[in-house]
Amino acid sequence: MTKITSLLLTLLIVASCTSQQKEQKPPIEQEKQALADEVKAAFVHTWDGYKEYAWGHDDLKPISNSYSDWYGESLLMTPVDAFDTMVLMGLDEQAEEAKELIFEELSFDKDLSVQNFEITIRLFGGLLAAYQFDGDERFLELAEDLGNRLLPAFDSPTGMPYVMVNLKTGETSGSINNPAEIGTLMLEFGTLSKLTGNPDYYDKAKKAMVELYNRRSDIGLVGTLIDVESGEWTDTSSHISGRIDSYYEYLLKAYVLFEDEDFKEMYDESIKAVNKYLVDRTDTGTWYGYADMNTGERSRTVYGALDAFMPGMLVMGGQVDLAREVQESNFKMWQMHDIEPEAIDYTTMEVEHPAYLLRPENIESAFYLYRETGEAKYLEMGKTMFQSLVEYCKTESGFAELADVRTKEKNDAMHSFFLAETLKYSYLLFAPESTLDLDEYVFNTEAHPLTKTW
Ligand code: DMJ
């Protein structure tokens, strides 16, 4: 063989190896199925713990292997919240167990004063999604019964709901409410209207949102607390964190689910103000801070686990570049201590609130970005986050919150949103896209998928 032929041969071999390498999928893509199976195993582990130690109660206490009920009597928070995750994961046996328990034991005819928002997003949303997935009319009957019992919450002078409502008597309490609890009812009440043909639920939930929107400041921001009787703000601090967050989410999602243009207008106006006054680009990344709703002046540089929903919402609203930027910060926050704290000061990168409550938002945003861009980096982020959960939060019977992400000390608590949301978004990130088509479904804020069957 001449030198030239041998050189040509070498070049050919190198070229063919390079093209083979190019054809090879990045390794994380090949791990997707295994990761989805790991998430499913984490779910089954936790459901087994619930069955053994908390059956029939609201929540599992994953360290003492016992249970807790929010209001003294159980409203089956965990089984209702977890049901549609079981369906998505193909866990038929577990779904059957949950379904039997729900139909045998769930009753809302109880003299309990409950938090309208939490009951709506977890139970009302869970039952509606269960009905749409499963088709059993009893889910819809329970949802309708619950919707009727919650409806008196809207009977305030402004139409914005009270915080609490008694399931039996309809008595309301808590006139100082917040945008999240006022404005995160639309998908559930609206869906019930569409499914039953009774417009009342839709109209009341929409009026509440419009009343809130109409009280935005001249620069377009809302505050943290408002009196639903007088309509006056009692705390004018504006941000995207807890107590405001999902109001914006529902303005957008209500438009997507109901195709009601009013919501689009309100979302577009609101997000403009939020991105003008709250986005904070610093040396440490792109964050959303706090500002006074009237002046727009920065008041705090705090960001946390709840704020991490933002990239997911921005993707849905078409602002993908900004979503990417913020997700980098989300992940940076996660990496500070291998698991995210509830809140940090993003200028110093110091922990402000050290707990981790098994929250989903960071993984949720990675999921939306992966679906939108197909980029492996979002799978990598999801893998890191899920594996931290297993490493630091897993217990003999389930998963526990962390009291402090720096020491990894655990708390004896596990919110039902861990099964409804955290494991659902983790699973959907790794599972084939056909498991759930985002063009067909809109998630309520507790990750219950709702679809336009009307
Ligand atoms: C959930 O109940 C919902 O996602 C809500 O919108 C915010 N808080 C928790 C999860 O962190």
Side-chain angles (χ1 to χ4, degrees):
M1 197 185 309
T2 67
K3 267 190 183 163
I4 293 184
T5 331
S6 126
L7 187 67
L8 275 174
L9 255 177
T10 317
L11 280 174
L12 264 174
I13 291 165
V14 169
S16 117
C17 286
T18 319
S19 86
Q20 271 171 23
Q21 270 166 9
K22 266 191 195 153
E23 274 162 27
Q24 265 180 8
K25 280 187 175 176
I28 184 85
E29 296 285 352
Q30 292 164 5
E31 278 181 65
K32 277 171 70 176
Q33 190 52 53
L35 286 164
D37 290 342
E38 277 178 43
V39 179
K40 203 160 152 175
F43 185 97
V44 172
H45 168 72
T46 311
W47 179 248
D48 285 347
Y50 173 80
K51 276 196 321 195
E52 190 160 352
Y53 302 111
W55 189 246
H57 293 280
D58 280 339
D59 292 332
L60 169 73
K61 292 179 89 171
I63 296 178
S64 58
N65 294 338
S66 56
Y67 59 81
S68 62
D69 290 314
W70 286 36
Y71 301 107
E73 275 183 72
S74 173
L75 291 171
L76 297 187
M77 217 70 88
T78 292
V80 176
D81 231 1
F83 178 79
D84 54 30
T85 309
M86 296 169 184
V87 177
L88 280 171
M89 289 181 173
L91 294 169
D92 300 342
E93 199 185 304
Q94 288 80 353
E96 213 37 58
E97 290 163 357
K99 197 171 155 178
E100 262 179 44
L101 177 65
I102 291 168
F103 293 145
E104 265 168 32
E105 292 192 13
L106 188 54
S107 160
F108 298 117
D109 190 21
K110 291 180 189 287
D111 190 3
L112 298 177
S113 183
V114 301
Q115 200 177 345
N116 185 31
F117 163 77
E118 291 290 355
I119 296 300
T120 296
I121 65 170
R122 297 183 197 222
L123 297 182
F124 195 0
L127 289 167
L128 289 166
Y131 169 66
Q132 291 196 314
F133 265 5
D134 181 272
D136 193 315
E137 290 288 331
R138 289 173 294 177
F139 282 123
L140 183 58
E141 283 160 23
L142 279 166
E144 191 174 359
D145 180 43
L146 180 57
N148 288 331
R149 291 171 188 275
L150 296 175
L151 214 51
F154 294 99
D155 294 341
S156 74
T158 61
M160 291 188 284
Y162 290 95
V163 179
M164 310 289 287
V165 57
N166 185 296
L167 290 175
K168 204 192 230 353
T169 64
E171 194 188 332
T172 52
S173 59
S175 57
I176 306 298
N177 209 344
N178 58 69
E181 300 200 28
I182 291 166
T184 315
L185 308 166
M186 192 61 228
L187 296 192
E188 298 80 2
F189 282 85
T191 297
L192 185 60
S193 276
K194 300 290 181 189
L195 294 177
T196 59
N198 174 357
D200 224 24
Y201 314 105
Y202 189 102
D203 294 346
K204 288 197 168 164
K206 182 173 174 183
K207 178 171 165 55
M209 286 185 106
V210 171
E211 291 291 334
L212 181 66
Y213 175 75
N214 287 344
R215 287 173 173 81
R216 71 196 183 284
S217 67
D218 292 345
I219 59 170
L221 294 174
V222 294
T224 304
L225 293 172
I226 190 163
D227 185 329
V228 301
E229 292 182 339
S230 67
E232 298 295 324
W233 291 100
T234 61
D235 178 342
T236 58
S237 178
S238 196
H239 48 84
I240 58 150
S241 197
R243 303 202 283 186
I244 297 185
D245 47 5
S246 44
Y247 159 60
Y248 295 122
E249 181 188 337
Y250 268 35
L251 285 176
L252 178 61
K253 288 182 173 177
Y255 166 62
V256 176
L257 188 64
F258 304 123
E259 295 171 80
D260 180 333
E261 292 286 336
D262 293 346
F263 291 114
K264 182 168 166 40
E265 226 180 280
M266 292 192 280
Y267 176 77
D268 288 346
E269 274 305 300
S270 302
I271 197 72
K272 255 194 265 164
V274 165
N275 286 339
K276 180 164 176 193
Y277 295 103
L278 303 183
V279 170
D280 207 351
R281 289 190 171 84
T282 69
D283 291 346
T284 57
T286 301
W287 311 90
Y288 282 79
Y290 285 55
D292 182 82
M293 66 178 274
N294 295 309
T295 62
E297 255 171 56
R298 177 76 60 247
S299 50
R300 293 178 78 200
T301 51
V302 172
Y303 185 92
L306 283 166
D307 308 62
F309 83 102
M310 198 61 172
M313 187 184 84
L314 291 170
V315 166
M316 209 172 170
Q319 293 183 282
V320 182
D321 291 341
L322 182 55
R324 284 173 182 280
E325 268 183 63
V326 182
Q327 187 58 21
E328 293 302 318
S329 306
N330 274 355
F331 194 53
K332 194 181 241 187
M333 173 171 73
W334 190 282
Q335 287 173 305
M336 283 169 61
H337 295 282
D338 256 3
I339 197 151
E340 71 187 359
E342 187 72 351
I344 59 167
D345 181 329
Y346 57 76
T347 54
T348 58
M349 296 305 277
E350 293 293 330
V351 172
E352 284 266 317
H353 185 333
Y356 172 63
L357 306 186
L358 298 169
R359 292 200 188 280
E361 288 79 4
N362 211 328
I363 297 174
E364 174 184 351
S365 285
F367 160 70
Y368 277 103
L369 272 158
Y370 178 61
R371 279 289 182 97
E372 176 68 25
T373 66
E375 286 174 21
K377 74 194 270 192
Y378 299 114
L379 285 176
E380 295 282 3
M381 286 183 188
K383 178 180 168 188
T384 303
M385 293 191 264
F386 172 68
Q387 289 183 342
S388 317
L389 289 180
V390 175
E391 186 171 349
Y392 302 119
C393 303
K394 194 169 177 190
T395 70
E396 184 214 320
S397 61
F399 283 73
E401 297 175 355
L402 298 185
D404 193 323
V405 295
R406 295 163 298 195
T407 60
K408 311 292 186 289
E409 182 202 341
K410 294 188 179 82
N411 251 349
D412 192 15
M414 186 195 79
H415 265 283
S416 58
F417 56 66
F418 177 65
L419 296 179
E421 295 193 73
T422 312
L423 291 186
K424 186 184 284 135
Y425 286 124
S426 304
Y427 181 75
L428 289 174
L429 173 63
F430 304 125
E433 266 194 49
S434 56
T435 311
L436 185 127
D437 184 349
L438 275 182
D439 292 332
E440 294 286 317
Y441 285 91
V442 177
F443 288 102
N444 88 335
T445 196
E446 188 81 359
H448 294 304
L450 299 170
T451 185
K452 252 176 264 167
T453 47
W454 44 89

